Amino acid sequence: MRLDKFICKSTELSRTEARRVIHAGEIIVNGEIVTNEATQVHENNLITLAGRRLVARPSRYLMMHKPAGTLCSNVDGVYPSLFHRLDIDRADDLHIVGRLDADTTGLVLLTDDGRWSYHITHPDSGCNKVYRVTLRDSLTPDTAQLFNQGIRLQGEAKLTLPAQLESVTPTEVLLTIVEGRFHQVKRMFAAVGNKVVSLHREQIDQLRLDVPVGEWRHLTAEEVMSTSGQP
Ligand code: URA
């Protein structure tokens, strides 16, 4: 990870304060003064500040049940940020793994581990995201096959990757996708002439949402490992 991030993860310093001590030449990495905050370091490196070895706090992994009318953002906008519900130390260090729209409900993952979130969100990882979708119009018989073949979203050249559609009722479906393009589910149904009325993410890979609306919990080490074999 970057040196400034490492300093934040191993001290109580903010990112700005971490950069100040780095620029001041107070950080020594494996015996050498390092003044570039972007230097890549490993947790096994011997990194000291004022002669004391710094040890990074372990990464954190959470699931939250996002209510409708909240924003997957660190700051408030038209709606309040999801972060208001996170009664946890240093919540600002966490980021959301694959945002949901303000009106979408369901499973949101949060972490400070960039590698883990990259793995979950990157389409090449093949990490499944399962959405329960309520539709305005009944599902047409060809939609599952079209979604499986790939859909051309408005304004995009590249087809969507194969998606699986399971009908629950004529107007309720479970859709499994591996990508996370902007408004992807809503745009997929728009592309076949339908409209999403409500959207709820209930699963990411092996992780099924199991906390009440608005609440959160830490993931277990097994859950973190099982999520696409990372970290
Ligand atoms: N697809 C959407 O259209 N919206 C979301 O919030 C998530 C996936």
Side-chain angles (χ1 to χ4, degrees), residues 120-121 127-131 175-179 203-204:
I120 290 172
T121 49
C127 180
N128 287 327
K129 291 95 187 169
V130 183
Y131 291 89
L175 178 66
T176 304
I177 58 176
V178 295
E179 297 171 288
Q203 190 169 346
I204 295 178

Side-chain angles (χ1 to χ4, degrees), residues 56-70:
R57 289 181 286 276
S59 293
R60 294 181 291 176
Y61 306 88
L62 281 61
M63 75 157 63
M64 183 186 257
H65 191 153
K66 179 189 177 297
T70 53

Side-chain angles (χ1 to χ4, degrees), residues 130-146:
V130 183
Y131 291 89
R132 188 172 289 271
V133 191
T134 309
L135 298 165
R136 181 192 58 195
D137 307 322
S138 296
L139 197 64
T140 56
D142 59 345
T143 307
Q145 196 189 347
L146 290 171

